[in-house]
Amino acid sequence: MTDSEAERAERAAFILTLRGRGIRDVAVLRALELVPRALFVDPTLRRHAYEDVALPIACGQTMSQPSLVAAMTEALSLNAEHKVLEIGTGSGYQAAVLCHLASQVVTVDRYRSLVSEAQVRFRVLGLRNVAAFVGDGLLGLSTRGPYDRIMITAAGPELAPALVEQLKPGGILVAPMGDPREVQMLRRFEKGPEGVTATDLMPVRFVPLVPGVAATL
Ligand code: SAH
C-alpha cells in the first residue's frame, strides 16, 4: 500500500471507531473524516494519530481523544450559519473540525507558540473560516462576538461571566466543569430568556483553564 492508501484505510477505521463509541451525527463524523489528525500531533506520536486516545502536545497541554472531540462537537448542535468561539486552541484540531460545520470559528489560547503552530496548520489545510488569537479565554473575545456557540476545552470550577455575556440569546456553550485535579463533568449550557440552564453530559478529564496569557512561549 502507498502511504496515502494506508492513511485512507486508517482514517476509514477511525470513523468506524467513532461510530462504535456512539457518535451518530453524520455531519460530525464527516467533519472528523475531513481533518487529518496526523497533521496536529507531534511527529513522534504519528502512529497514534488515528487511535481514540488523548495525546500530549507542546507547552505541557493535551489534545482530547477524538471520540470526545466528536461528542463535544455534537453537543454544540451546530449549523452552517453559526459563529463559534473555542477557548483553548491547543493543537488546533478541535477548531479545524468546527470549521467544517460552522460559518466562522474564533479560537483563543494563552500560549503564543500554540496559536502560531495552529495557524500554520490551518493554512496548510486551506481553512479560511478560522481566526486564532493569543489571549485569556476567561475574558472571551468581545471584539469578534457575540457567538452562537462557545466551546471550552480546558477545565475550570465555574463559568466565566464574560463568556456567558458573549453568547447570543438561545446560544449553547459546552465546557468541562469542576476541579482540574479531579474528574470533571462535561456540561451543556443554554442561554434562555430566564437565564442559563445546564445539562450534565459525561465525566471527562481536561487540563486546567489558567487565568491570564502565558508569560513564556
Ligand atoms: N482544543 C485543543 C486542546 C486544548 S488543551 C486541541 O484540539 O488540540 C487546553 C488548552 O487550553 C491549552 O492549549 C491551554 O493553553 C489552553 N488554556 C488554558 N487556560 C486558558 C485561558 N485562560 N485562555 C486561553 N486558553 C487557555
Side-chain angles (χ1 to χ4, degrees):
M1 266 200 299
T2 65
D3 265 347
S4 64
E5 275 171 359
E7 166 133 8
R8 232 173 293 142
E10 229 181 336
R11 285 167 70 178
F14 172 68
I15 297 305
L16 286 177
T17 305
L18 297 177
R19 293 179 68 108
R21 298 269 154 103
I23 306 302
R24 289 285 172 267
D25 187 319
V26 176
V28 170
L29 288 166
R30 178 84 188 126
L32 272 98
E33 196 174 6
L34 288 172
V35 180
R37 193 169 183 248
L39 184 68
F40 293 81
V41 309
D42 188 281
T44 61
L45 298 169
R46 166 66 190 80
R47 68 190 182 283
H48 301 296
Y50 298 105
E51 291 172 11
D52 194 25
V53 291
L55 292 173
I57 57 173
C59 305
Q61 306 302 312
T62 307
M63 64 193 287
S64 300
Q65 65 195 83
S67 57
L68 181 52
V69 169
M72 289 176 73
T73 306
E74 223 175 18
L76 276 189
S77 309
L78 284 164
N79 75 40
E81 259 92 74
H82 284 154
K83 191 203 285 186
V84 191
L85 172 66
E86 181 201 21
I87 305 304
T89 312
S91 67
Y93 179 69
Q94 172 74 74
V97 169
L98 294 172
C99 281
H100 292 287
L101 296 159
S103 127
Q104 280 182 68
V105 180
V106 175
T107 180
V108 177
D109 204 286
R110 58 191 299 278
Y111 283 102
R112 190 166 299 281
S113 58
L114 290 178
V115 168
S116 48
E117 282 166 33
Q119 283 168 331
V120 171
R121 293 177 178 127
F122 299 149
R123 221 169 300 132
V124 167
L125 293 176
L127 297 172
R128 296 181 191 284
N129 59 337
V130 57
F133 299 90
V134 180
D136 181 359
L138 292 171
L139 305 176
L141 196 64
S142 60
T143 49
R144 293 278 176 141
Y147 303 97
D148 300 285
R149 301 288 187 262
I150 298 179
M151 182 188 286
I152 310 177
T153 61
E158 58 210 18
L159 209 48
L163 294 176
V164 178
E165 235 164 71
Q166 290 167 33
L167 188 61
K168 287 186 193 172
I172 294 170
L173 183 155
V174 172
M177 304 296 301
D179 187 331
R181 290 162 303 185
E182 291 169 17
V183 173
Q184 305 113 29
M185 180 55 74
L186 185 67
R187 306 187 84 190
R188 182 184 199 264
F189 298 88
E190 235 178 301
K191 189 172 177 176
E194 318 271 275
V196 176
T197 52
T199 320
D200 287 354
L201 298 180
M202 64 178 93
V204 287
R205 243 178 211 286
F206 274 83
V207 296
L209 203 47
V210 179
V213 170
T216 55
L217 296 171

